[in-house]
Amino acid sequence: MPIKPLCNRKTFCAKTKYNPDACLSCVNAVLSSSASAKAEVLMTGFNLKFDFAPTVKGANVCAVDVGTTTVTGVIFDAQGAQIAKTGFLNPQKKYGLDVIARIDACNNGGMPEVRGCLMREIDKFIAGRNVRHVLLSGNTTMEHIAAGVSPYSIGVAPYKPQFTEMQTLKFSDCLLSGEGTVTLSPNVSGFIGGDIVAGIVACGLEKTDKNILFLDMGTNGEIVLSKKGKLYGCSTAAGPAFEGGNIACGSHAHDKAICNAKIEGGRIVVDRPDGVSIAGGAVIDYTAALLDLNVIDETGAIDDCRDDIDIFEQNGEPAIRVNEKVYLSQRDLREIQLAKSAVKAGIMTLLAAAEMSASEVDEVLIAGGFGMALNPKSAERICIFPPEFKGKTRAVGNTSLTGAIMCVLNAGILKHSQEVADAVEYVELTNNEIFQNFYLNSITFE
Amino acid sequence: MSNVILDQISEAVQKGKARDTKELVQKAIAEKIGAKDILDKGLLAAMAIVGKKFKNNEVFVPEVLISARALNMGTAELKPYLAAQGVKPLGKAIICTVKGDLHDIGKNLVRMMLEGVGLEVQDLGVDVAPEKIVEAVKTSDAKVLCLSALLTTTMGAQKDTIDALAAAGVRDKIKIMVGGAPVTEEYAKQIGADAYTSDAASAATAAKLFF
Ligand code: B12
């Protein structure tokens, strides 16, 4: 009995009325298990079938994706039926938006609280639900914090974590009440975490006979390239611009934000003309449109004054008016340039490491909420990807949770995830001349 | 006449035309224009314009990099003449990215802008430990030290460095400037730095005031 996905909005919150809670849980984890003990998982971009062989028998299991920004979780009963799910903002947000800020908060004696506020929420979710196994999939920093291990070393060169292997802990080790086991998804390095390993498993990157590029374009910008199953990974540190961070009028996608833009009849139109802010996806759309209208040139400079575009001065710099409240400044465009060239250069460096050309890539999978907010055409126009990726991109949703679900529902897959983590060849971008060259050459819009 | 060539040099540097810059400098030398004039009114004048535009975000990192490359071509050509004519550099600065941090694009831009106001710059590289910086300050006649940090977790190393200089008794020998995306004016004050600026062009302007 496959159940229909709960939400499959391609344009992610833009057209439909935005409901943050719905969006957070927009992960469509739906499982049906039949007498033949097959699990079927329907998620954005996936319809997975595998043997139902959960990690514990006779009790419930839980899969949680601990993102830096959002946390999502699902609980299954002993028969494999989904009995609960949750999606909430990571309460650690008050300690800063990116992992480095969280590490900094932990360094300054804040560890108990940074850890506690997160684990308490997870505990609330599983409380009274007879859960005996929690699989937690997060980036390396999140997993350190969950385990109560200081993430200090991840924040300073050479950015080495305290552990990369899969961790098996007791509930009490992770501040959870009751009896049970917590497994932390295995990490590859300080900035390629268990969330990415789970994503690899979900997408089957380790066993494909194709060349697939997998991207998680959050603030860390992890990229994995599968060359017919041989895995290469890096982390590009794009920064928060794609999520609306560091943008003067930017925000995440919410119900009063401009969420997309396009050219219609020679003019730029946005989905919410009275929006109070502009979301990351729309910033990319808008930048692409401005390039098409020659309002900005290929170096990123605001160039031309068209009659229908209002360019005004803001803090000594030109800015482009989007509506009464929202504008895009020259500095915002520079932020986008820094972020997009980091992603592009990361991709090119991985391709170089695998001795491949961009045209040999068969598929490009974009994970996370941003994948759904991103209009591939706009991404192409601002050159986030090499032009050879045209028509090959696909949003795959929350692959960290998908992978985590697979792991709790099939103990063999969980075991296999460690092999996957070990198989990833980590490509260091720091002090990497190839990256540096690509980076500086990718900053423009050419 | 001479003005035209100097303007052309400035133009070439602004546009990042390295080969043109070199040839124009040679031409100016052949026309017996003073090396200091070629430097100040041609090469450095150009960098002042580029710096101002960069500060206003009118031009961006790639434009500054190619202009800096043209500047270097020009100054390399000019160097023997500057020496022969007894023109001394304005002074010397030391720059590096602090311990634990390997980001260097911002640091390199600051170095280029410092060179763009005529300073000689000793670049210690990235991930440089306080002890190494102390050693460099002790053995150098530099008047300014620039410390770059791009990570919230490595800003603390700017303070550690200042403390190490104080402990070694050389804190007063040098003016310390700090910068990098997470660094603020307030933080700079708090750790006892002498100056902070948010961009490379302003960094050069501020550094110049110490000479
Ligand atoms: C490029 C980049 C990288 C490259 C570095 C390449 C290199 N050789 O430098 C790579 C991919 C290797 C990298 C790696 C990492 N990065 Co990084 N990186 C960036 C990125 C995209 C741009 C930084 C940059 O070059 N800016 C352009 C320059 C010109 O600006 P700037 O450095 O700020 O310098 C200007 C001013 O600050 C000032 N200035 C600079 N220094 C000084 C010094 C003085 C004295 C003065 C007065 C002024 C001054 O002048 C400059 C010009 O105006 C930013 C995100 C972003 N969009 O900004 C993240 C970012 C800085 N990285 C970050 C992180 C976390 C990392 C990693 C630790 C982990 C990772 N993979 O995500 C690793 C660590 C390795 C390392 N190198 O240290 C975070 C830091 C977060 C935080 N809260 O501290 C950022 C903000 C991204 C993010 N939000 O996640 N990164």
Side-chain angles (χ1 to χ4, degrees):
Chain A
M1 167 199 59
I3 304 165
K4 264 180 81 180
L6 304 171
C7 156
N8 210 352
R9 280 170 291 172
K10 284 227 170 56
T11 49
F12 190 58
C13 321
K15 291 216 182 79
T16 50
K17 246 208 150 1
Y18 179 88
N19 168 353
D21 298 326
C23 258
L24 292 181
S25 52
C26 172
V27 290
N28 312 328
V30 181
L31 176 117
S32 70
S33 74
S34 56
S36 64
K38 285 276 176 207
E40 181 166 354
V41 176
L42 280 179
M43 308 266 293
T44 312
F46 291 99
N47 183 354
L48 300 159
K49 289 197 182 75
F50 50 90
D51 288 338
F52 177 61
T55 47
V56 292
K57 303 244 150 49
N60 300 344
V61 292
C62 172
V64 189
D65 160 47
V66 180
T68 314
T69 313
T70 56
V71 181
T72 47
V74 194
I75 297 174
F76 301 98
D77 69 13
Q79 282 71 47
Q82 179 186 315
I83 57 165
K85 69 174 191 168
T86 188
F88 53 87
L89 289 174
N90 188 330
Q92 298 173 339
K93 272 188 93 170
K94 57 177 175 287
Y95 300 104
L97 296 181
D98 57 43
V99 291
I100 296 287
R102 307 281 168 82
I103 295 172
D104 197 46
C106 290
N107 292 348
N108 296 321
M111 181 81 169
E113 203 19 55
V114 177
R115 183 179 181 220
C117 71
L118 169 69
M119 299 319 287
R120 275 195 297 275
E121 285 305 312
I122 296 176
D123 198 36
K124 265 190 231 159
F125 175 53
I126 62 168
R129 291 191 160 121
N130 192 30
V131 172
R132 288 289 172 276
H133 185 212
V134 173
L135 190 115
L136 202 146
S137 159
N139 61 52
T140 314
T141 301
M142 289 304 126
E143 293 195 359
H144 274 61
I145 294 174
V149 176
S150 166
Y152 171 80
S153 61
I154 305 173
V156 289
Y159 317 103
K160 292 272 180 286
Q162 295 301 307
F163 62 83
T164 53
E165 308 77 37
M166 181 187 300
Q167 303 288 305
T168 310
L169 306 163
K170 291 200 286 268
F171 271 17
S172 55
D173 296 332
C174 293
L175 311 178
L176 299 179
S177 32
E179 292 280 327
T181 313
V182 176
T183 306
L184 304 180
S185 179
N187 302 303
V188 175
S189 70
F191 288 94
I192 302 184
D195 51 347
I196 302 302
V197 172
I200 296 173
V201 169
C203 299
L205 296 181
E206 80 283 14
K207 51 187 186 205
T208 177
D209 53 7
K210 293 195 263 183
N211 296 321
I212 303 180
L213 191 101
F214 170 94
L215 268 158
D216 187 341
M217 268 189 356
T219 39
N220 281 328
E222 299 94 335
I223 310 175
V224 175
L225 173 65
S226 174
K227 184 183 186 185
K228 299 192 185 351
K230 167 93 183 88
L231 302 167
Y232 300 84
C234 72
S235 159
T236 57
F242 292 144
E243 293 165 334
N246 278 355
I247 303 290
C249 302
S251 73
H252 65 276
H254 60 73
D255 67 355
K256 291 196 180 67
I258 295 169
C259 288
N260 64 47
K262 59 171 181 265
I263 299 178
E264 242 172 50
R267 299 179 62 103
I268 306 177
V269 291
V270 299
D271 60 332
R272 263 188 207 105
D274 59 348
V276 297
S277 63
I278 183 160
V283 175
I284 294 176
D285 288 344
Y286 218 94
T287 307
L290 291 169
L291 282 163
D292 278 340
L293 296 178
N294 295 320
V295 180
I296 52 181
D297 66 18
E298 68 285 353
T299 71
I302 296 176
D303 194 25
D304 189 18
C305 293
R306 287 165 59 108
D307 292 343
D308 56 341
I309 304 261
D310 179 9
I311 295 174
F312 64 103
E313 208 186 288
Q314 174 81 14
N315 304 327
E317 292 177 19
I320 295 159
R321 187 167 298 292
V322 175
N323 69 19
E324 233 168 72
K325 292 202 182 82
V326 180
Y327 61 85
L328 272 184
S329 70
Q330 182 68 70
R331 167 175 283 267
D332 295 338
L333 295 169
R334 300 312 189 184
E335 288 290 339
I336 286 291
Q337 286 180 268
L338 288 178
K340 69 105 186 175
S341 56
V343 174
K344 169 90 176 279
I347 293 172
M348 300 312 287
T349 309
L350 279 193
L351 287 170
E355 299 182 327
M356 275 174 67
S357 67
S359 58
E360 289 174 86
V361 172
D362 302 304
E363 259 189 284
V364 180
L365 307 179
I366 307 172
F370 187 73
M372 282 174 273
L374 182 71
N375 176 341
K377 261 200 193 144
S378 305
E380 192 190 304
R381 182 63 187 91
I382 74 161
C383 316
I384 299 179
F385 307 130
E388 292 85 352
F389 285 7
K390 189 176 179 173
K392 295 175 183 171
T393 55
R394 183 158 69 89
V396 287
N398 188 340
T399 52
S400 169
L401 184 62
T402 311
I405 289 172
M406 290 170 72
C407 288
V408 284
L409 297 181
N410 185 311
I413 296 178
L414 176 60
K415 208 167 152 239
H416 172 62
S417 69
Q418 180 65 59
E419 293 159 20
V420 169
D422 294 340
V424 179
E425 184 172 323
Y426 175 63
V427 178
E428 179 63 65
L429 301 183
T430 292
N431 290 337
N432 182 327
E433 216 160 291
I434 301 175
F435 174 84
Q436 186 90 344
N437 279 337
F438 278 124
Y439 188 65
L440 296 172
N441 284 324
S442 306
I443 290 181
T444 58
F445 293 112
E446 296 168 298
Chain B
M1 178 62 204
S2 66
N3 268 341
V4 177
I5 282 210
L6 295 178
D7 288 350
Q8 283 173 336
I9 291 175
S10 168
E11 188 98 336
V13 173
Q14 286 176 56
K15 291 204 170 124
K17 295 193 170 161
R19 215 172 334 111
D20 288 3
T21 305
K22 186 177 161 185
E23 281 166 18
L24 284 162
V25 168
Q26 284 166 346
K27 202 169 151 204
I29 293 166
E31 287 183 16
K32 301 263 180 304
I33 300 172
K36 189 159 174 31
D37 275 350
I38 300 174
L39 183 69
D40 290 347
K41 296 180 186 157
L43 299 168
L44 300 188
M47 285 311 280
I49 296 169
V50 173
K52 190 161 169 265
K53 286 188 176 165
F54 176 70
K55 180 175 152 64
N56 298 334
N57 277 312
E58 247 176 274
V59 297
F60 203 38
V61 180
E63 291 91 317
V64 176
L65 294 183
I66 57 167
S67 285
R69 203 172 54 125
L71 169 76
N72 284 340
M73 285 281 250
T75 37
E77 204 55 39
L78 201 59
K79 219 173 189 165
Y81 298 90
L82 285 167
Q85 293 171 27
V87 183
K88 293 229 166 60
L90 181 58
K92 196 166 172 184
I94 298 174
I95 193 167
C96 69
T97 301
V98 295
K99 186 174 162 70
D101 205 324
L102 301 157
H103 290 88
D104 66 358
I105 298 171
K107 181 227 16 149
N108 293 345
L109 284 181
V110 175
R111 187 193 65 220
M112 289 164 199
M113 288 297 171
L114 292 175
E115 288 167 352
V117 294
L119 287 166
E120 195 184 320
V121 186
Q122 182 183 351
D123 190 339
L124 304 180
V126 296
D127 191 15
V128 185
E131 311 82 69
K132 246 186 107 180
I133 299 172
V134 168
E135 208 37 52
V137 168
K138 273 187 183 162
T139 53
S140 156
D141 55 350
K143 274 196 189 154
V144 169
L145 170 66
C146 293
L147 302 173
S148 180
L150 261 280
L151 297 171
T152 317
T153 41
T154 57
M155 285 161 64
Q158 292 179 327
K159 178 177 188 302
D160 297 345
T161 303
I162 296 177
D163 293 349
L165 288 165
V170 287
R171 171 64 187 89
D172 297 329
K173 199 182 160 206
I174 203 152
K175 296 291 181 191
I176 300 174
M177 298 180 57
V178 291
V183 181
T184 60
E185 175 95 59
E186 199 193 338
Y187 179 74
K189 280 213 182 91
Q190 200 186 312
I191 62 170
D194 298 300
Y196 158 82
T197 72
S198 64
D199 70 277
S202 313
T205 314
K208 218 177 154 181
L209 296 176
F210 292 126
F211 290 88

